[in-house]
Amino acid sequence: MQSHLFITQPVDNAFKKGGRMSWARTIRSVARLPVCAAGMLLAGSIHAQDYFGSSLPGTMCHADETILFACDTRHAKKIAVCARAVGGSAFGDIRYRFGTDVRTELEFPSRPQPLDTYATGASMGDGQRGMLIFLSLRQKDTTYSVYSMVVNPTYQHDGASESNGVLVERAGKVLANIHCEQDSNPHAGMLSDKKLLGVAVPLSKQPLSIFPQFRPTP
């Protein structure tokens, strides 16, 4: 399968007004949601994945997987990072997928591999009220980093903004920064699970190239 490449776009949604709620508020909101109704048919297959203990149809994750990250992009494309329990870890097998409801254009790895051979991630701050969390998955010389950035201008979260997407880099060069459609309600809350970064997945000490202001938090 071929990698997906888009024209690199500026991070233009990071500080827009009227943004989305913080991760903590998102998690609380998701916890109050009822379990989604089963039976959504997507091109002959049923996708109803686990997200904070609830069934969430409509992503590229499979029925026995946990959604770490999922969103819709322009042109009816979808991005998903999905985890499956392996070897006593809920995140023992992590896979990146890109495509549409009817066709997976890119998926890797094709079978379980040690996470420390292709995955890293981190939660970083900008020294003020901004937080960035990301998970990077490497396929040969290309790295796909899904991210969620939240900026809270006030302690009350008034005017908070959120930007989600995937950064594609090859040999240190940015190939694309694909933004999630915020109206599609991106799902990134599971990236903050305490058993993921620094436990199942090695911590990264390097900030993402497009967000140099974010550094590892103590």
Side-chain angles (χ1 to χ4, degrees):
M1 298 181 181
Q2 297 181 345
S3 301
H4 56 284
L5 300 179
F6 287 71
I7 297 175
T8 304
Q9 302 176 11
V11 187
D12 53 2
N13 294 323
F15 298 97
K16 69 180 182 180
K17 295 182 179 179
R20 303 177 61 78
M21 63 183 69
S22 66
W23 289 313
R25 294 175 65 191
T26 300
I27 291 172
R28 290 196 296 269
S29 298
V30 172
R32 292 194 293 267
L33 291 175
V35 175
C36 297
M40 177 175 284
L41 296 179
L42 297 174
S45 61
I46 297 178
H47 295 278
Q49 316 83 29
D50 180 73
Y51 188 68
F52 288 104
S54 294
S55 178
L56 183 67
T59 77
M60 297 192 74
C61 294
H62 298 163
D64 58 344
E65 295 176 333
T66 296
I67 301 168
L68 296 181
F69 184 94
C71 77
D72 295 343
T73 69
R74 292 187 300 176
H75 310 301
K77 301 291 186 178
K78 294 177 179 287
I79 300 168
V81 176
C82 316
R84 193 192 311 264
V86 173
S89 171
F91 309 115
D93 178 25
I94 297 178
R95 304 195 182 193
Y96 178 91
R97 296 190 182 103
F98 176 85
T100 66
D101 287 337
V102 298
R103 180 171 176 261
T104 299
E105 299 176 20
L106 173 66
E107 177 178 359
F108 73 90
S110 58
R111 52 184 173 275
Q113 298 179 15
L115 292 179
D116 60 4
T117 64
Y118 70 97
T120 60
S123 177
M124 299 186 176
D126 64 356
Q128 300 182 48
R129 295 193 181 96
M131 290 297 296
L132 170 72
I133 190 165
F134 65 90
L135 177 62
S136 298
L137 304 177
R138 186 178 66 256
Q139 183 190 43
K140 298 181 179 179
D141 63 346
T142 305
T143 301
Y144 301 80
S145 300
V146 294
Y147 64 83
S148 182
M149 182 183 68
V150 175
V151 176
N152 289 311
T154 68
Y155 288 112
Q156 293 75 29
H157 307 297
D158 295 332
S161 63
E162 180 178 344
S163 178
N164 302 273
V166 58
L167 174 66
V168 184
E169 299 175 284
R170 177 174 296 157
K173 180 181 179 180
V174 175
L175 299 181
N177 180 25
I178 306 170
H179 295 284
C180 296
E181 292 290 325
Q182 291 301 109
D183 292 342
S184 71
N185 189 25
H187 304 290
M190 285 297 294
L191 292 179
S192 61
D193 191 289
K194 294 182 179 180
K195 296 181 180 179
L196 180 63
L197 302 179
V199 180
V201 173
L203 285 177
S204 172
K205 296 181 180 180
Q206 298 296 322
L208 290 183
S209 60
I210 60 173
F211 298 117
Q213 72 274 30
F214 288 92
R215 296 290 176 175
T217 54

